[in-house]
């Protein structure tokens, strides 16, 4: 007797399984290719954003920066998997930085859609600082070191 999966019951990462794999059939080499592809796409979008900035096309700048950041998040999912990625992103020590980061991305797109260059630039700056703060959370004591350095400057 053939054991068929139940089509009404979600499986894989849709079911909330604690799996580290986005596509279980992908080899490690294919995951590396996916990651590198996202990395290259992100770098190209980042370069395009700075070209737009030098041309003073701030709306395009914001859109390209946001797309570059989304590409970076997508690339890391090839190794961590979406469930583990989101669990890590919204862990107790990171949920505020992640929320600010994602909100800034959404607001950047909103600012771009209403053609508000000052708002786009402001949201891009917030994206960078939120991304930096989020990234520092993966390095032991890095946030504490930054806080102490800033305190020393004030």
């Amino acid at each position: 007797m053939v054991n068929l999966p139940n089509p009404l019951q979600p499986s894989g990462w849709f079911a909330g399984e604690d799996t580290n794999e986005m596509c279980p059939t992908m080899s490690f080499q294919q995951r590396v290719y996916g990651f590198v592809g996202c990395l290259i796409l992100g770098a190209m979008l980042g370069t395009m954003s700075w070209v737009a900035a030098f041309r003073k096309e701030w709306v395009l700048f914001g859109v390209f920066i946001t797309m570059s950041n989304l590409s970076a998040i997508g690339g890391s999912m090839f190794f961590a998997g979406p469930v583990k990625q989101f669990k890590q992103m919204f862990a107790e020590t990171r949920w505020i930085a992640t929320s600010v980061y994602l909100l800034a991305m959404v607001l950047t797109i909103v600012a771009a859609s209403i053609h508000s260059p000052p708002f786009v630039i402001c949201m891009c700056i917030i994206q960078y600082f939120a991304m930096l703060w989020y990234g520092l959370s993966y390095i032991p004591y890095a946030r504490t070191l930054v806080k102490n350095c800033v305190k020393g400057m004030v």
Side-chain angles (χ1 to χ4, degrees):
M1 179 175 212
V2 176
N3 196 6
L4 297 174
N6 182 352
L8 299 177
Q9 184 175 1
S11 62
W13 60 281
F14 288 109
E17 293 177 9
D18 194 18
T19 179
N20 293 338
E21 298 183 1
M22 183 181 226
C23 298
T25 59
M26 290 178 75
S27 69
F28 180 76
Q29 185 177 13
Q30 289 170 325
R31 291 176 196 284
V32 170
Y33 288 154
F35 172 77
V36 170
C38 286
L39 182 70
I40 290 169
L41 176 63
M44 287 174 24
L45 290 166
T47 302
M48 290 167 57
S49 72
W50 288 105
V51 169
F54 286 121
R55 296 179 68 186
K56 296 184 180 179
E57 295 177 13
W58 302 111
V59 171
L60 279 176
F61 170 74
V63 170
F64 286 141
I65 285 287
T66 302
M67 290 172 60
S68 175
N69 288 336
L70 289 172
S71 179
I73 292 171
S76 64
M77 284 188 189
F78 277 99
F79 288 123
V83 172
K84 186 174 180 183
Q85 175 81 17
F86 283 108
K87 282 182 179 179
Q88 288 178 349
M89 288 175 72
F90 288 97
E92 185 178 341
T93 58
R94 295 185 190 99
W95 73 269
I96 294 174
T98 299
S99 299
V100 170
Y101 186 37
L102 296 175
L103 181 64
M105 283 193 255
V106 169
L107 291 177
T108 301
I109 298 301
V110 168
S113 68
I114 62 172
H115 298 284
S116 175
F119 192 38
V120 167
I121 294 167
C122 180
M123 288 299 105
C124 287
I125 291 169
I126 291 172
Q127 271 188 58
Y128 274 118
F129 280 111
M131 177 179 53
L132 176 66
W133 198 247
Y134 169 79
L136 288 174
S137 71
Y138 284 95
I139 303 168
Y141 304 107
R143 285 181 168 182
T144 304
L145 179 67
V146 170
K147 285 179 189 177
N148 290 339
C149 287
V150 170
K151 263 191 229 175
M153 292 177 7
V154 176

